Amino acid sequence: TGPRCYGNFVTNKKYFQCQEKLQLIVYKTPDSVSISVVNHTGPMVEGEQYQLQCEIQNIAPVRYLTVKWYKGETLENQTSYKDFTKTPVTVSSTLLITPTSTDDGAQYSCVAELELGSEGPQPPPEDKSEPLSITVHYEPRITECLNRVELREGEPLDSISCRAKGNPLPIVTWYRDQSEFNSSTPLTRRDTGQYVFTATNRLGRILQAVNLTVGYRPTFNCNHTYEVTENENHTLTCTAEGYPVPAITWFNEQGVELELPAHLTRRHAGQYTLVAKNTYGTERHTLEIEVLYPPEVEQEKQDVTVAQGGTVILMCTVEGNPPPKVTWTHSAPEEPQVSTRGRQSTATITTATSANAGVYTCNATSHLGTATRTFTITITVGEKGYHVIVWVVMTMAVCFLVLLILRWKYMRRQGRYDIMPVQPAGVPLIPVNTPLEH
């Protein structure tokens, strides 16, 4: 039975016949190849098992059939058959899958291939199903989010690179202190703290804590004027607030960078510029440092000797900050004339007498202390006093002589006679001190 091939031959006038059994395969490609999910419709859920079925209709012979399963371009499985039925039949193949989130959107297909051997058609005839695209639902998962984040003041939480994925698409919510926080609100420095990022869909919820620091540019918390006492420990309560903590640099009036010593002297008084700088900006502040120091006088004591009648000027040069109050005290009964101008105070005695002799004290006083300078005045009758006396005596002598001359002239006009004793006769009477012509 089966197909045979016959041949008739004539040799030496003899007739004979030969035959050969033929190896003949009659095949038929399928009418259709289709793929479906068994007992399920709609999206799949991650982690659950599903069965895919590939149906091949009217193919022959089935024993030469291989069904190959593909996910995308990757061969996942294949099925062969041992049925020797030569007529067309409909067969199916199944594939069990447990999809994950990475399978969302994957395409499965099956291929019916007739492998008819080396003498069959090349390449072997095949039919491919339409691809089956699957949708996989899975719980939310955070794909990107740091545990510690720093934002600039004014930026919202939405600026943080926190991302979540899931299917269905998760709803993202921020919480602070267990209360929902509007992630589009501009942040201030007071918003530094811990926040919770959450992503939720119908399959589950995931969260992550985020420690947030809000950075901001420096701002100074300083006065414009500071008073310190010379050579004492000082605390200039001038600080710059900011995050990161700003670096502060001091500059003097000439723009030279410097560091103030622990103890300031009066030469450190003046104007300074402070520059605070951090990641988010630079701020400047100008302040004045006033260095206080107790009163000082140039000398402590001085002895002054002056001739009687002379002028005495006592000068007291005073230093101090705050400017000290200057007063004069003295042991002499008479008050000097006192005047003060700037750093200098003077006590003036215009005509020195013995009543002005004594000790004069210049007192410079402030809340930081007192400094004094003493002057001891001695009044002498010196060359100048002698000349005065001589002048007075000579003046009196001249006045006396003038008076005598004036009297003499007066008496001469009136006449003057003296009585003489009687002389012998013949001697005439002559007026005394009278010219001869009289």
Side-chain angles (χ1 to χ4, degrees):
T1 61
R4 295 176 180 273
C5 177
Y6 294 91
N8 296 315
F9 299 93
V10 177
T11 303
N12 298 323
K13 297 181 180 181
K14 291 183 178 180
Y15 175 82
F16 65 93
Q17 184 184 56
C18 66
Q19 62 179 0
E20 186 70 26
K21 188 174 180 180
L22 298 177
Q23 296 295 325
L24 180 64
I25 299 175
V26 178
Y27 69 91
K28 177 184 182 299
T29 58
D31 292 339
S32 67
V33 177
S34 60
I35 189 171
S36 62
V37 183
V38 178
N39 298 326
H40 180 78
T41 59
M44 300 178 181
V45 177
E46 181 181 40
E48 295 186 6
Q49 192 176 66
Y50 298 89
Q51 185 177 27
L52 304 184
Q53 178 175 285
C54 181
E55 185 176 278
I56 302 95
Q57 291 186 345
N58 298 323
I59 188 170
V62 71
R63 66 188 180 94
Y64 292 104
L65 172 65
T66 299
V67 178
K68 297 181 178 180
W69 287 94
Y70 289 89
K71 183 171 70 172
E73 300 296 326
T74 304
L75 178 64
E76 294 288 312
N77 199 3
Q78 62 183 23
T79 304
S80 58
Y81 299 86
K82 297 181 179 180
D83 189 344
F84 286 90
T85 302
K86 296 181 180 180
T87 59
V89 294
T90 296
V91 294
S92 64
S93 173
T94 58
L95 176 69
L96 292 176
I97 63 171
T98 304
T100 66
S101 59
T102 58
D103 294 323
D104 185 34
Q107 290 187 332
Y108 285 85
S109 60
C110 61
V111 176
E113 184 179 283
L114 286 173
E115 297 180 353
L116 301 172
S118 59
E119 295 182 358
Q122 300 295 330
E126 65 178 23
D127 283 275
K128 186 176 182 180
S129 70
E130 291 293 326
L132 172 68
S133 181
I134 65 172
T135 299
V136 180
H137 282 183
Y138 54 94
E139 293 182 351
R141 59 202 58 185
I142 295 174
T143 59
E144 179 184 359
C145 201
L146 298 176
N147 292 326
R148 294 186 177 275
V149 178
E150 182 178 315
L151 292 180
R152 183 173 188 157
E153 189 171 36
E155 293 180 328
L157 282 176
D158 290 337
S159 302
I160 299 178
S161 295
C162 281
R163 304 287 183 268
K165 70 176 183 178
N167 198 3
L169 186 67
I171 297 173
V172 172
T173 309
W174 286 91
Y175 290 88
R176 183 184 185 186
D177 298 330
Q178 299 182 348
S179 297
E180 188 173 339
F181 190 89
N182 187 348
S183 60
S184 62
T185 302
L187 298 171
T188 69
R189 62 197 70 181
R190 293 182 296 275
D191 292 322
T192 294
Q194 189 180 76
Y195 294 77
V196 177
F197 174 78
T198 66
T200 307
N201 66 12
R202 68 178 183 83
L203 296 177
R205 182 186 188 198
I206 192 169
L207 54 85
Q208 179 171 325
V210 176
N211 292 302
L212 173 67
T213 301
V214 180
Y216 53 97
R217 62 178 294 127
T219 55
F220 277 100
N221 182 20
C222 299
N223 298 328
H224 291 286
T225 303
Y226 288 87
E227 289 184 352
V228 298
T229 302
E230 187 174 43
N231 294 323
E232 291 185 3
N233 284 330
H234 64 81
T235 301
L236 299 179
T237 55
C238 180
T239 58
E241 182 184 0
Y243 190 88
V245 176
I248 302 178
T249 308
W250 287 69
F251 296 91
N252 62 15
E253 293 180 75
Q254 290 72 40
V256 178
E257 182 179 343
L258 52 81
E259 290 185 10
L260 289 180
H263 299 85
L264 298 182
T265 63
R266 63 197 71 179
R267 68 183 182 85
H268 294 108
Q271 190 177 82
Y272 295 85
T273 299
L274 282 69
V275 178
K277 187 176 184 180
N278 69 5
T279 307
Y280 299 106
T282 301
E283 190 69 19
R284 296 175 179 271
H285 178 76
T286 300
L287 58 83
E288 188 86 18
I289 295 180
E290 187 173 352
V291 181
L292 306 181
Y293 53 94
E296 298 174 354
V297 293
E298 289 186 351
Q299 299 177 359
E300 293 184 356
K301 296 181 180 180
Q302 184 177 357
D303 293 332
V304 179
T305 302
V306 64
Q308 184 172 334
T311 299
V312 181
I313 299 177
L314 305 179
M315 291 191 302
C316 183
T317 302
V318 177
E319 293 281 354
N321 191 18
K325 180 181 179 181
V326 180
T327 59
W328 288 84
T329 57
H330 49 87
S331 63
E334 294 187 6
E335 288 279 347
Q337 296 179 359
V338 176
S339 64
T340 301
R341 186 175 184 179
R343 298 184 301 117
Q344 197 169 72
S345 181
T346 60
T348 304
I349 304 167
T350 56
T351 303
T353 66
S354 59
N356 300 121
V359 177
Y360 292 76
T361 303
C362 170
N363 305 287
T365 305
S366 74
H367 71 277
L368 296 176
T370 300
T372 61
R373 184 182 184 189
T374 59
F375 301 84
T376 302
I377 296 180
T378 303
I379 307 297
T380 63
V381 180
E383 183 179 350
K384 184 175 179 180
Y386 173 77
H387 288 161
V388 171
I389 294 173
V390 171
W391 181 83
V392 171
V393 171
M394 290 182 65
T395 301
M396 292 176 66
V398 170
C399 290
F400 182 73
L401 288 174
V402 170
L403 289 174
L404 288 178
I405 293 170
L406 291 175
R407 180 175 176 79
W408 175 76
K409 286 187 177 183
Y410 175 78
M411 295 297 294
R412 185 177 178 185
R413 291 192 192 100
Q414 299 297 322
R416 179 180 178 185
Y417 299 91
D418 291 330
I419 303 299
M420 302 290 294
V422 176
Q423 297 293 331
V427 180
L429 295 176
I430 300 173
V432 178
N433 297 330
T434 301
L436 294 177
E437 62 268 21
H438 291 150

